[in-house]
Amino acid sequence: MIIVKTAEEIELMRESALIVSKTLGMLAKEVKPGVTTLQLDALAETFIRDHGGVPGFLGLYDFPNSLCMSPNAQVVHGIPNDTPLVEGDIISIDCGVLKNEFYGDHAYTFEVGEVAPETKKLLDITKESLYVGIRQFKKGNRVQDVGYAIQKYTEDHGYGVVRELVGHGLGRKMHEDPEMPNYGKRGRGKKFVEGMVVAIEPMINLGTRRIKQLKDGWTILTADGKPSAHFEHNVALVGGKPELLSTFQYVYDALGIESGEEEEFRQKKLQL
């Protein structure tokens, strides 16, 4: 069942989402060769609590940490460890926050120093596909309209779209209806309704779409060992159009990147 949010609840969710956004922005300055994912995880937990939130992943389904940290061929759900990052790595950082009884949950894939051109292109196309999908989250459309758009955009570039893992509704629970796959056929699935809030999150592989799971019960890897990229936003349906609750602007400010990619999805100016 889709749980529709009131305007007031959407604003509370924006607060939670923006703590995630600020956490990712803080981490952007710390992602560099030599740092371990456990060190980044500790920084994130402290930052989240200092900003009035609770780490949304810590203990959720018995997950042991505050961040899902997934480098290179890891798709999602990687567990932080003591292995230092090295030049040329990429790493998906997925972060959740609980505040005011509502969750925020989004992700960004970072470059560690200089990465291979084909890997950088994978990141660029995956992030572009996120916005291609968000454009379809609008009045009159259905769940698989979003998935179809993401699938076509990324498969046209020769990439593999993970099937077993999907986006989701978001609210008082981390995972609510509907599931939001990154593949599908136009005109199928549940119809979008005003007040919905979803997490849209393309998980796109450089090679095969097939995946495997490590014995830790969490970490998902590409079956062929090639890199995977993951970007995620939280989006509400407001006035029949997609309204971003999350932002990558804190990441861009930290990295000195100029981008206007989010402007079309904001009905009011973001107060940074």
Side-chain angles (χ1 to χ4, degrees), residues 41-246:
D41 185 75
L43 288 172
E45 180 174 355
T46 298
F47 186 91
I48 290 166
R49 295 189 189 280
D50 286 349
H51 285 76
V54 175
F57 295 166
L58 184 61
L60 184 71
Y61 313 126
D62 295 324
F63 188 76
N65 293 88
S66 296
L67 299 175
C68 292
M69 309 281 280
S70 308
N72 302 319
Q74 294 185 17
V75 181
V76 287
H77 301 163
I79 298 175
N81 58 41
D82 286 321
T83 303
L85 297 175
V86 300
E87 183 85 11
D89 281 347
I90 59 171
I91 183 160
S92 161
I93 302 183
D94 194 352
C95 179
V97 164
L98 177 64
K99 183 182 180 184
N100 298 321
E101 301 183 352
F102 287 97
Y103 282 97
D105 164 30
H106 49 284
Y108 191 92
T109 301
F110 293 90
E111 302 173 26
V112 183
E114 292 294 323
V115 305
E118 67 174 4
T119 303
K120 184 175 180 61
K121 182 180 177 183
L122 171 69
L123 268 58
D124 290 343
I125 297 302
T126 302
K127 183 153 64 70
E128 289 168 13
S129 80
L130 171 61
Y131 297 106
V132 168
I134 290 171
R135 288 188 188 100
Q136 299 304 313
F137 182 60
K138 60 185 179 181
K139 182 179 179 181
N141 275 8
R142 295 179 180 270
V143 163
Q144 291 192 33
D145 290 316
V146 172
Y148 171 83
I150 292 170
Q151 179 182 11
K152 185 175 190 310
Y153 191 80
T154 53
E155 288 185 347
D156 281 353
H157 286 86
Y159 299 140
V161 180
V162 173
R163 302 293 202 276
E164 295 87 347
L165 302 154
V166 298
H168 51 90
L170 189 68
R172 294 183 187 273
K173 294 182 178 180
M174 177 68 74
H175 299 108
E176 295 184 353
D177 282 339
E179 290 190 343
M180 296 290 297
N182 297 304
Y183 61 93
K185 296 184 178 181
R186 286 181 290 190
R188 295 190 180 184
K190 293 183 178 180
K191 198 169 187 177
F192 297 138
V193 295
E194 186 77 5
M196 285 180 69
V197 180
V198 297
I200 298 175
E201 49 178 322
M203 290 160 273
I204 309 298
N205 301 341
L206 183 63
T208 180
R209 68 175 178 85
R210 294 192 303 276
I211 59 172
K212 58 185 179 180
Q213 188 174 44
L214 291 185
K215 291 181 180 178
D216 62 20
W218 283 102
T219 307
I220 304 296
L221 295 158
T222 59
D224 59 9
K226 293 183 178 180
S228 181
H230 175 216
F231 292 89
E232 179 180 14
H233 266 314
N234 301 155
V235 196
L237 191 63
V238 178
K241 299 186 292 185
E243 168 74 10
L244 277 184
L245 305 184
S246 53

Side-chain angles (χ1 to χ4, degrees), residues 17-33:
L18 287 179
I19 296 177
V20 177
S21 301
K22 291 174 183 178
T23 304
L24 293 174
M26 177 273 294
L27 292 171
K29 298 179 181 180
E30 306 295 334
V31 173
K32 60 188 73 171

Side-chain angles (χ1 to χ4, degrees), residues 5-22:
K5 278 71 178 182
T6 65
E8 292 76 16
E9 288 173 332
I10 287 173
E11 290 310 307
L12 291 176
M13 293 192 69
R14 193 190 305 272
E15 289 185 35
S16 300
L18 287 179
I19 296 177
V20 177
S21 301
K22 291 174 183 178

